[in-house]
Amino acid sequence: MSNEVINVLITGAAGQIAYSLIFNVCKGDMFGADQRVKLHLLDIPLMVDSLKGVVMEIQDGAYPLVADIVITADVKEAFTDVHYAILVGAMPRREGMERAELLKANAAIFKVQGKALAEHSNKNVKVLVVGNPANTNALIAMVSANGVPKENFTCLTRLDQNRAKSQIALKAGVNVKDVHNVIIWGNHSSTQYPDYRCGYINLASGKTPIGTAIKDEKWLQGDFISTVQKRGAAVIAARKLSSAASAAKAITDHMHDWVLGTAEGEYVSMGVISDGSYGTSEGLIFSFPVKCANGKYTIVQGLPIDDFSKNLIKTTNDELVSEKTTALQFLSE
Amino acid sequence: MEQALLRINNISGQLTGKCPFKAGGGVEAGKCPFKGHGVEAGKCPYRAGQHLDQSKAWSLVNVTPTVTTNSVTPIKVLVTGAAGQIAYSLMFMIASGQMFGPYQPVILHLLDIPKMADALKGVVMELQDCSYPLLHSVVATTDVQTAFIHINVAILVGAFPRGPGMQRKDLLKVNVSIFKEQGEALNKYASRGVKVLVVGNPANTNALTALVKASDLPPSNFSALTRLDQNRAQSMISEKVGVNVDSVRNVIIWGNHSQTQVPDVNHGYILNYPNRGLIEPIQTSVNDDKWLNEQFIPLVQNRGATVIAARKLSSAASAANAIVGHVRDWLLGTKDGEHVSMAVYSDGSYNVPKGLIFSFPVTCRNGEWSIVQGLKINSSTQQKIDATTKELQEEKETAMSFLN
């Protein structure tokens, strides 16, 4: 076991996603079976008692990898010396709330957290924003975190990718582990673009492009996309609760691959700062296909983009530009 | 749900009465959903007991590192109460490989009551959305027969919860009827080597009820969960001494998973204490017999309530973690020098009469547990063991009276 302990912050720590997520971290699923962690758990003052209960349960799990736990409602304490920050907590959408209001409320939260990252966390802190609107919240944190590299800010689209892979697997009648390189482009919202075209399936006959294995372009360009886009709502309708466990798994996957690297030939989807690749506007947090090695990601270049895809990429791009404009306005107020 | 059902790949044999995999339930002449068996119109040629899966759960588990798990036979695990909170933590732990290791694919059978069918569908969606390579397939159902077919491991979480004003006797009665049915289902449909862990309370007596009704299956394959109590006891000791929980070993829970449980540290030790490379008996490390005798036990007994008071929800994740530990150690074996607490079929050890499901310290090897023998029990602990024995005997009598 490595003796060096890493400090991992989880915000919204008393909530449902965190309840699934924390135990994945404790088990070693996120950073590997040898990596000891110190957990920083942040939530609002009202939830500190609940956090105490979670700590009791972590202790009752006797996890060898948990070196220490800090629970707090204080931002400075939470962000101090953090190496990895998973920002799950955000202002939830209330009934009747307009998107602009939601953006404004969250801009306030992520501005504070961006500053805290710059002022208190480790200089190379890696950040994953989950709380919605994830892309724009990540952007706000990034512009508020003077001195923290822009490449260190990401948002979660891995859940959408996992959902997309699963739909392909179900349609093709294979195990999900045999489906590779399905991409999510853009915003983690209803404009996201699940893209099958560069993906393949390991069939008994060999590596087969998805479009060949599933000869149903209508479905691939139609129901496949809308099912993935609406999956979150479908789970809520069935469970009457949101998809906490699958979100936690996606967070675990995103961090694991970012920190420990992706397998040869594999790409994964991450919301990262756009550099203009594939016709996107620069300076957005945009979900791209990436490869990871040595703790860094690189956007996969040179993938073919047809007109159908161009349009969908443009739509989600434009939505993000508009969110960015609104958010920056709030920040300057 | 139907789509999930169709994913069963390795079924052999049929069952009495209706074939659960044929629409309408009857069996058509000449057609059999299971390969290789001819069928006469209306008749199922296989009586219960024939062609039942004979595999032993422990020998199924593949621990050999392998590049692809495609050729490894999946192990079938049933979780009841599958739409509930403990299952919500548990099934993702199982699917991720925590229970059987990273080289063993799993088929999950999920059972709950019809009222929970929608919620169950939602959980299946989430399992799919997790994209777990080790999850071979999922069978989600409200039908007992479908749930129990050929399972290698049964984790019976679902039970009737205690309502306000409900007496213990009422609780026992309604749960006896549930676990009677499940014991019969295990007997009829499960793999002959199925390992059973009962979690739903009253766990010990529910396990006994199931065992009694599963008369073809060895009693040694039935257990109840006291691992959570053991983990909690270790946690309390670690807090008192000021060490990592993982350093605390061989704490025992004797008896019933109830207020009469007996946490016993007299045979436990702390690793790397007071310094690296040393081992010290817990009693010495704690150095506070008064605390051990007066406060420690109530702390362990009340931990569940304490977590609920703080979270406003029950301790689902730590329960799930204890379940994973119990099954993993049972099938994959305990480490040298270590024992764990499992409520198992008593054989007369430690003055506990035969025929109860009673929590003992056990070691596990080749899929079998053995009660650790020869531990010296002081008189105070023996008194408590006798008290929990008495409670279990009374529960047994009540349960058996409801069965007849």
Side-chain angles (χ1 to χ4, degrees):
Chain A
M1 203 174 290
S2 143
N3 281 319
E4 177 209 304
V5 174
I6 55 175
N7 302 328
V8 181
L9 164 66
I10 298 173
T11 68
Q16 287 181 45
I17 290 179
Y19 192 67
S20 288
L21 176 65
I22 286 169
F23 298 95
N24 288 356
V25 177
C26 294
K27 214 54 196 186
D29 289 351
M30 189 177 278
F31 298 107
D34 287 334
Q35 179 60 66
R36 292 171 71 219
V37 302
K38 178 179 174 202
L39 289 171
H40 288 215
L41 305 177
L42 171 70
D43 215 304
I44 57 178
L46 194 66
M47 301 306 285
V48 167
D49 270 346
S50 186
L51 272 183
K52 287 187 181 141
V54 177
V55 171
M56 286 183 222
E57 290 209 70
I58 298 171
Q59 287 165 342
D60 293 350
Y63 297 102
L65 294 177
V66 177
D68 201 356
I69 311 172
V70 169
I71 61 171
T72 182
D74 176 64
V75 167
K76 179 174 176 193
E77 191 181 0
F79 280 80
T80 298
D81 292 341
V82 164
H83 300 99
Y84 301 98
I86 304 169
L87 309 182
V88 181
M91 179 74 67
R93 186 177 220 138
R94 303 251 182 286
E95 189 128 18
M97 208 184 203
E98 293 300 324
R99 195 175 177 80
E101 278 178 75
L102 186 71
L103 266 166
K104 184 172 187 180
N106 279 296
I109 295 174
F110 285 87
K111 176 178 176 185
V112 166
Q113 297 195 346
K115 276 189 74 195
L117 285 162
E119 282 169 25
H120 306 300
S121 300
N122 183 281
K123 283 194 181 10
N124 197 28
V125 63
K126 287 185 163 50
V127 185
L128 167 58
V129 176
V130 180
N132 281 315
N135 300 54
T136 303
N137 286 342
L139 185 78
I140 292 167
M142 181 187 82
V143 308
S144 309
N146 260 318
V148 181
K150 292 186 175 353
E151 298 72 44
N152 287 17
F153 288 85
T154 64
C155 81
L156 190 76
T157 52
R158 185 57 172 266
L159 180 53
D160 309 294
Q161 177 192 311
N162 288 350
R163 287 168 169 167
K165 274 178 64 170
S166 168
Q167 290 303 312
I168 298 285
L170 284 169
K171 183 78 170 177
V174 299
N175 189 294
V176 71
K177 68 175 169 33
D178 295 322
V179 178
H180 301 267
N181 293 355
V182 177
I183 301 165
I184 304 290
W185 300 93
N187 198 3
H188 175 64
S189 74
S190 56
T191 66
Q192 62 171 273
Y193 169 37
D195 178 8
Y196 73 92
R197 294 158 318 113
C198 310
Y200 66 90
I201 301 178
N202 279 330
L203 295 177
S205 46
K207 255 189 198 180
T208 312
I210 290 178
T212 309
I214 300 175
K215 287 185 172 46
D216 190 345
E217 199 184 50
K218 185 164 180 287
W219 180 82
L220 286 166
Q221 292 188 341
D223 281 348
F224 163 62
I225 292 177
S226 58
T227 301
V228 174
Q229 288 170 342
K230 296 186 187 137
R231 187 65 157 185
V235 173
I236 292 179
R239 290 195 67 224
K240 308 290 179 277
L241 288 165
S242 74
S243 49
S246 45
K249 168 66 165 48
I251 294 167
T252 307
D253 288 344
H254 174 118
M255 294 305 296
H256 175 280
D257 290 350
W258 191 4
V259 174
L260 298 174
T262 45
E264 185 75 36
E266 289 289 299
Y267 16 106
V268 295
S269 302
M270 285 171 60
V272 298
I273 181 126
S274 58
D275 56 359
S277 299
Y278 299 102
T280 57
S281 309
E282 282 189 44
L284 301 176
I285 297 283
F286 192 99
S287 181
F288 287 101
V290 304
K291 293 186 177 187
C292 303
N294 302 325
K296 288 181 163 31
Y297 62 79
T298 5
I299 296 175
V300 177
Q301 297 295 345
L303 297 176
I305 304 290
D306 59 11
D307 284 339
F308 177 83
S309 305
K310 241 191 217 146
N311 278 331
L312 290 176
I313 288 176
K314 182 175 188 308
T315 305
T316 191
N317 185 82
D318 291 348
E319 183 181 58
L320 279 168
V321 169
S322 139
E323 281 186 20
K324 175 178 178 178
T325 311
T326 312
L328 291 181
Q329 259 171 17
F330 291 138
L331 282 183
S332 68
E333 275 169 15
Chain B
M1 215 74 84
E2 283 64 44
Q3 203 174 20
L5 276 177
L6 290 171
R7 288 182 146 269
I8 301 169
N9 291 328
N10 49 352
I11 298 295
S12 57
Q14 283 197 20
L15 313 151
T16 52
K18 293 187 172 193
C19 170
F21 299 95
K22 265 308 211 168
V27 179
E28 257 181 68
K31 286 187 179 190
C32 174
F34 311 116
K35 285 185 295 187
H37 302 299
V39 175
E40 240 185 84
K43 283 192 177 187
C44 172
Y46 303 108
R47 287 179 300 155
Q50 290 185 9
H51 292 263
L52 281 171
D53 185 282
Q54 298 292 333
S55 46
K56 288 193 191 312
W58 77 267
S59 63
L60 261 191
V61 179
N62 173 47
V63 295
T64 311
T66 170
V67 171
T68 170
T69 51
N70 281 337
S71 52
V72 178
T73 307
I75 189 166
K76 289 181 221 64
V77 182
L78 165 67
V79 179
T80 66
Q85 287 182 42
I86 292 181
Y88 193 69
S89 287
L90 176 65
M91 62 182 72
F92 298 93
M93 292 181 185
I94 298 174
S96 75
Q98 286 179 33
M99 191 174 265
F100 306 107
Y103 311 110
Q104 179 56 58
V106 174
I107 295 176
L108 279 177
H109 283 216
L110 307 176
L111 174 69
D112 216 306
I113 57 179
K115 189 173 131 180
M116 302 305 289
D118 273 344
L120 195 52
K121 279 189 188 134
V123 176
V124 173
M125 281 189 230
E126 283 212 72
L127 279 167
Q128 290 164 344
D129 293 349
C130 280
S131 193
Y132 284 117
L134 290 174
L135 184 60
H136 178 280
S137 48
V138 179
V139 175
T141 181
T142 55
D143 175 62
V144 167
Q145 194 176 42
T146 311
F148 278 78
I149 289 171
H150 294 180
I151 50 169
N152 306 112
V153 176
I155 305 170
L156 309 181
V157 181
F160 207 93
R162 186 179 218 141
M166 210 182 198
Q167 295 301 321
R168 194 174 177 81
K169 196 165 184 180
D170 305 317
L171 187 71
L172 264 168
K173 184 170 191 180
V174 67
N175 279 296
V176 163
S177 72
I178 294 174
F179 284 86
K180 168 176 189 274
E181 185 188 30
Q182 297 199 341
E184 285 165 351
L186 284 163
N187 203 48
K188 244 180 169 171
Y189 307 127
S191 160
R192 300 297 83 188
V194 65
K195 300 292 193 199
V196 183
L197 168 57
V198 175
V199 180
N201 282 314
N204 300 52
T205 303
N206 287 341
L208 189 68
T209 304
L211 180 165
V212 163
K213 296 314 285 181
S215 44
D216 295 337
L217 301 178
S220 57
N221 281 358
F222 288 79
S223 66
L225 189 76
T226 51
R227 181 61 168 263
L228 181 54
D229 309 295
Q230 176 192 311
N231 289 351
R232 287 168 170 170
Q234 278 164 207
S235 184
M236 302 287 89
I237 297 293
S238 81
E239 225 177 271
K240 178 76 174 170
V241 177
V243 292
N244 197 291
V245 191
D246 187 51
S247 314
V248 182
R249 302 293 170 94
N250 286 2
V251 172
I252 301 167
I253 304 290
W254 302 93
N256 198 5
H257 175 63
S258 74
Q259 287 291 84
T260 66
Q261 63 172 271
V262 188
D264 173 8
V265 301
N266 296 314
H267 311 279
Y269 56 89
I270 303 192
L271 287 175
N272 296 318
Y273 190 82
N275 291 313
R276 215 172 173 70
L278 298 180
I279 292 178
E280 190 169 82
I282 290 177
Q283 219 173 349
T284 315
S285 309
V286 168
N287 197 28
D288 188 347
D289 283 354
K290 190 165 187 289
W291 179 86
L292 274 174
N293 292 328
E294 290 171 20
Q295 289 169 273
F296 167 61
I297 291 180
L299 272 171
V300 176
Q301 287 170 341
N302 294 326
R303 183 66 152 186
T306 313
V307 173
I308 292 179
R311 290 194 66 227
K312 309 289 183 280
L313 289 165
S314 74
S315 51
S318 46
N321 183 60
I323 292 167
V324 167
H326 174 118
V327 175
R328 185 187 55 228
D329 289 346
W330 193 357
L331 294 192
L332 271 61
T334 47
K335 300 197 193 71
D336 274 340
E338 290 193 12
H339 45 82
V340 295
S341 302
M342 286 172 60
V344 293
Y345 201 61
S346 55
D347 61 357
S349 302
Y350 298 101
N351 208 37
V352 177
K354 288 187 189 173
L356 297 177
I357 293 287
F358 191 98
S359 183
F360 288 101
V362 302
T363 55
C364 299
R365 199 165 165 266
N366 294 341
E368 302 299 330
W369 50 264
S370 331
I371 297 173
V372 175
Q373 298 295 341
L375 298 176
K376 284 206 172 58
I377 310 295
N378 63 34
S379 61
S380 140
T381 307
Q382 188 63 58
Q383 258 177 4
K384 299 194 182 81
I385 286 178
D386 294 341
T388 190
T389 302
K390 184 162 180 284
E391 183 182 58
L392 279 168
Q393 279 172 314
E394 283 165 5
E395 281 186 20
K396 177 179 180 179
E397 265 165 58
T398 311
M400 295 302 115
S401 77
F402 290 135
L403 275 181
N404 297 325

